[in-house]
Amino acid sequence: MLLSSCGSKMEFFLAASIHSFSLASFATLQEAKQPGYACVLANVLEAATWILSEPKFASDRAADIIAVSTSLLDALPTITSATERADDDDDMAMDVDVKDELDIDLQKQIMAAFDSNTKLLEHLVNALFTGTLSTNYSDPSGPSDAEVEAVGSICAFLHVMFSTLPLDVTMTALAYRTDIVPALWNFIKRCHENKRWPYFSKYISPLSVDAPGWLLPVSVFCPIYKYMLKIVDNEEFYEQEKPLSLKDLKALVLILKQALWQLLWIIPSHTSPSQKALPNPLGLKKMSIDSLKSQARNGLSELLTQLQDWNSRLPFTAESDFYSQEATSENFVSQAILGNTRASEIIKLAPFLAPFTIRVKIFTSQLANSKQSTASHSALTRHRFKIRRSRLLEDAFDQLSLLSEEDLKGPIRVSFVNEHGVEEAGIDGGGIFKDFMENITRAAFDVQYGLFKETVDHVLYPNPGSGLVHEQHLQYFHFLGSLLGKAMYEGILVDLPFATFFLSKLKEKSNFLNDLPSLDPELYRHLLFLKHYKGDLSDLELYFVIVNNEYGEQAEEELLPGGREMRVTNQNVITFIHLVANHRLNYQIRGQGRHFLRGFQKLIPKEWIDMFNEHEIQLLISGSLESLDIDDLRLNTNYSGGYHPDHEIIDMLWEVLKSFSSDNQKKFLKFVTGCSRGPLLGFEYLDPKFCIQRFSFLYIYVLYLFCWKIHLELLFNLELVSPAWRNMETVCPPRLLA
């Protein structure tokens, strides 16, 4: 047992521990792989918690405690936690192969020392930075030796800690109980502006020529700030500008983007075998250059992704600030399309470095390659289904659900059966299928059907109580996922506005507090009240439970095991807020989202959709709301039957189309293509091309009579037949009539 008497004895014990276990002794323990160092660490941390709470001891002992703890943590095997979030599993992947497992009681003792309730990390970081590192940008000169020493010491400690302990144990205290984010940002900005980075040679191996000095502070700054953004609210981020000002955020994006591009495109991922790895000055296994690169690479990518999400909600910087100029070159695009290249790896890890249009081109190329690879199968199998208009969704579900993945990728033809049971005449050249897709998506995603709900912003998300409405609700979600995937696979735009917190499920991402206003603004306001409450939260008698209410049925559910007995306090309120937001945004729709995703991924693999953020995915689904570019359509139109681009009648047609309202332009596009929205990259990518063909009046009259019976607009796709009109007055009415 650890001594627990007076302060002088605690101070003596800690001093004795630090003196007794030299760095050489730590190395010996590591080689022997004895459990003794774990016991020492547990005891040192317990003593440190008490000593650092006393200001008169804190500043003197902080550096010593960090030095000892860093070496002891480095000797430990990785400790995992069952509650650690799935999205953080790969954040701190290291190159250390430690196969020993600690005794479960030792693990609990060590993790308890770092728990936010103990305030160890809060006291440790603040004691080390007090009087040394500023959180305000007041000194534009480069950092002093004392600042470099403090940053190197704490960053080495945290880097090793992230590699050893579960993130959910340490991150809350670091992000919300310390000033480490603004302090490290101030340090990074000053180094960047002075073009002088320290090499922290005391803590890491001498850097090779291609290894930048910012690796260590950036590898620690990024995961902490990323974690903080999960629980930061809109008022803090945009109005109070905490923890960083919007001006600083713009500078941060530019600095981090440059650093990430350097790591991904210029600096090799791993040390060359020909280069002999130099030993770490302190013998720390988890402080290798390759592990620092890996952690910095992942941290930069994930933090910039989150900042781009914030920027998509309400811009604080130009969208182009996230792009790398080199990623717009033809060489980069061709390599990315080719695959198995450094450019394609960059698109996978950091797609935001390339503009949206570039990524859409890559996506379009991937679709084309997939269709080509399944062409032989499609040629042998033709699927034609009869769909009753009165039972559109049910018939489609019964028949299309039986198709295999390969069958779904092939052509599907549809014929409609009217209310009298008579099959409607016509040949589906693609237009009927497009019409079918628009109609079935409109019916299936209608809130009246019970599978989806609508937020206050009128966007769609899965109904958590769908199982109370439909017995086969999960099978329907699987079917609807494949339906949306088919629309995207065929380039068919459908008018379905989805909630961003649902679209994140297509990327297998979790949602956080800042996503909650769209779903439940009242709950969001209540959580913010708790977050900023100045009094004693335990007086409110809240517990770690939540009440679900679906169709009048109320059920209380624990947010954590034993949650009914766990009171919300000032120390654990951040965890409570995080769990409530997670329950509403992720847990309640986990089954629906999982089945929808399985159907969707039959046609659209995860790596394709991961190129886009949620707002961009919505554009892939529904296209832009902007009015049609008639000039672009004209530039990409084919003519036949005697018409040509400069024909008098053609000039009149385009003039009339330009004079149409936006709604009428969309109706025209719907008439000739089966879809009211144009391709994302313009009509150059419309397949097949839009064509205007010239016919005689007699032909048009006969065609009109035929159309009146069987809805010609559904039979022929992308072709407008026109007689030789003589003036503007005769052109306009027939087009409007159509």
Side-chain angles (χ1 to χ4, degrees), residues 129-201:
F129 281 176
T130 298
T132 305
L133 202 63
S134 173
T135 59
N136 297 316
Y137 187 69
S138 55
D139 183 6
S141 62
S144 64
D145 291 342
E147 289 176 290
V148 172
E149 174 65 24
V151 169
S153 176
I154 195 64
C155 286
F157 167 69
L158 293 176
H159 177 88
V160 172
M161 186 181 72
F162 293 161
S163 310
T164 308
L165 302 178
L167 293 183
D168 57 358
V169 171
T170 59
M171 279 300 186
T172 299
L174 284 171
Y176 306 111
R177 313 281 186 233
T178 75
D179 290 328
I180 192 169
V181 167
L184 282 181
W185 162 240
N186 185 27
F187 179 85
I188 291 169
K189 183 165 66 168
R190 288 166 62 196
C191 290
H192 175 79
E193 291 181 352
N194 284 276
K195 296 182 173 61
R196 185 167 64 86
W197 288 92
Y199 284 99
F200 304 104
S201 55

Side-chain angles (χ1 to χ4, degrees), residues 567-636:
R567 183 172 290 193
V568 178
T569 67
N570 295 69
Q571 291 299 318
N572 63 24
V573 66
I574 295 297
T575 301
F576 175 76
I577 291 171
H578 178 80
L579 289 172
V580 171
N582 175 68
H583 182 86
R584 295 286 283 117
L585 292 164
N586 302 308
Y587 186 78
Q588 276 195 312
I589 59 172
R590 67 195 184 285
Q592 294 90 332
R594 187 163 55 243
H595 281 78
F596 191 96
L597 179 65
R598 288 174 185 169
F600 182 79
Q601 289 184 344
K602 281 186 171 183
L603 293 109
I604 308 294
K606 183 179 184 297
E607 64 182 50
W608 293 3
I609 210 67
D610 277 348
M611 290 192 293
F612 308 98
N613 64 33
E614 288 82 350
H615 298 274
E616 293 168 340
I617 294 173
Q618 185 64 63
L619 287 176
L620 292 177
I621 293 170
S622 300
S624 173
L625 293 176
E626 298 175 3
S627 58
L628 298 179
D629 187 344
I630 298 299
D631 290 331
D632 181 44
L633 177 60
R634 181 174 187 174
L635 189 64
N636 292 283

Side-chain angles (χ1 to χ4, degrees), residues 206-491:
L207 294 172
S208 56
V209 177
D210 59 8
W214 45 257
L215 269 178
L216 181 57
V218 164
S219 69
V220 171
F221 170 83
C222 288
I224 300 175
Y225 190 30
K226 169 203 164 190
Y227 187 90
M228 180 182 284
L229 287 176
K230 292 179 180 180
I231 206 75
V232 164
D233 56 76
N234 293 329
E235 183 180 349
E236 287 176 314
F237 190 91
Y238 290 108
E239 297 177 23
Q240 299 175 10
E241 300 190 15
K242 292 181 179 180
L244 304 181
S245 70
L246 296 182
K247 181 180 178 182
D248 275 351
L249 283 173
K250 179 180 177 68
L252 175 66
V253 167
L254 295 174
I255 291 173
L256 297 189
K257 174 191 70 176
Q258 181 181 351
L260 181 59
W261 181 261
Q262 193 176 351
L263 274 178
L264 295 177
W265 190 253
I266 300 171
I267 302 174
S269 300
H270 300 284
T271 304
S272 171
S274 61
Q275 293 179 321
K276 185 178 179 181
L278 297 173
N280 182 276
L282 299 181
L284 302 175
K285 294 180 179 179
K286 299 174 183 176
M287 287 290 291
S288 70
I289 296 299
D290 284 346
S291 72
L292 280 170
K293 287 180 184 178
S294 174
Q295 187 164 308
R297 196 162 45 242
N298 291 334
L300 284 164
S301 173
E302 291 168 358
L303 176 56
L304 282 168
T305 296
Q306 277 194 286
L307 289 172
Q308 189 193 38
D309 289 343
W310 280 94
N311 198 56
S312 297
R313 295 189 193 102
L314 183 62
F316 57 83
T317 190
E319 187 179 345
S320 58
D321 285 345
F322 289 89
Y323 306 155
S324 175
Q325 189 61 37
E326 293 89 341
T328 62
S329 68
E330 289 298 326
N331 178 52
F332 180 88
V333 175
S334 60
Q335 284 193 44
I337 292 174
L338 187 63
N340 296 320
T341 62
R342 185 172 292 188
S344 61
E345 289 303 311
I346 288 176
I347 291 296
K348 287 180 183 177
L349 183 65
F352 50 81
L353 290 174
F356 175 61
T357 52
I358 296 292
R359 286 176 279 129
V360 173
K361 287 182 180 179
I362 297 171
F363 178 68
T364 304
S365 174
Q366 290 168 329
L367 287 175
N369 291 338
S370 175
K371 291 174 183 177
Q372 186 175 3
S373 66
T374 59
S376 58
H377 175 80
S378 301
L380 298 174
T381 56
R382 295 283 179 175
H383 296 284
R384 185 172 181 272
F385 301 104
K386 294 181 180 180
I387 305 294
R388 290 172 291 178
R389 289 191 180 273
S390 59
R391 293 184 57 83
L392 184 68
L393 181 56
E394 292 80 0
D395 284 359
F397 173 74
D398 291 339
Q399 299 179 65
L400 271 65
S401 294
L402 302 176
L403 296 180
S404 67
E405 182 176 321
E406 282 192 332
D407 291 338
L408 281 171
K409 292 179 179 179
I412 297 175
R413 294 294 176 252
V414 170
S415 64
F416 286 111
V417 177
N418 63 26
E419 64 273 17
H420 303 296
V422 178
E423 183 176 351
E424 297 177 1
I427 302 172
D428 187 0
I432 293 182
F433 182 70
K434 284 187 177 182
D435 183 73
F436 161 76
M437 290 294 289
E438 283 202 350
N439 287 329
I440 192 173
T441 51
R442 189 184 305 115
F445 291 94
D446 191 319
V447 294
Q448 299 298 322
Y449 197 73
L451 292 175
F452 277 78
K453 277 189 167 184
E454 195 176 61
T455 70
V456 292
D457 300 323
H458 305 294
V459 290
L460 299 168
Y461 70 99
N463 177 9
S466 58
L468 300 174
V469 182
H470 296 282
E471 184 178 349
Q472 291 183 291
H473 68 124
L474 294 180
Q475 291 90 330
Y476 268 96
F477 276 106
H478 185 279
F479 168 66
L480 293 185
S482 62
L483 208 61
L484 184 64
K486 179 64 173 177
M488 194 175 292
Y489 190 82
E490 298 295 345

Side-chain angles (χ1 to χ4, degrees), residues 465-528:
S466 58
L468 300 174
V469 182
H470 296 282
E471 184 178 349
Q472 291 183 291
H473 68 124
L474 294 180
Q475 291 90 330
Y476 268 96
F477 276 106
H478 185 279
F479 168 66
L480 293 185
S482 62
L483 208 61
L484 184 64
K486 179 64 173 177
M488 194 175 292
Y489 190 82
E490 298 295 345
I492 299 173
L493 300 176
V494 289
D495 191 10
L496 293 173
F498 289 111
T500 54
F501 64 83
F502 171 60
L503 291 175
S504 68
K505 300 308 172 188
L506 300 183
K507 295 168 62 67
E508 300 182 40
K509 276 176 53 179
S510 292
N511 300 292
F512 302 100
L513 178 65
N514 48 66
D515 299 297
L516 190 57
S518 174
L519 173 63
D520 194 335
E522 184 178 1
L523 177 60
Y524 177 73
R525 287 192 297 270
H526 289 165
L527 293 179
L528 291 192

Side-chain angles (χ1 to χ4, degrees), residues 672-711:
V672 296
T673 70
C675 184
S676 59
R677 305 190 186 198
L680 284 173
L681 298 180
F683 288 100
E684 177 186 353
Y685 290 85
L686 188 64
D687 184 27
K689 293 285 188 183
F690 175 53
C691 177
I692 301 177
Q693 187 169 357
R694 184 177 184 176
F695 289 101
S696 67
F697 275 102
L698 179 59
Y699 181 89
I700 295 295
Y701 180 70
V702 173
L703 201 58
Y704 170 75
L705 294 177
F706 187 61
C707 288
W708 187 75
K709 290 288 187 182
I710 61 171
H711 309 292

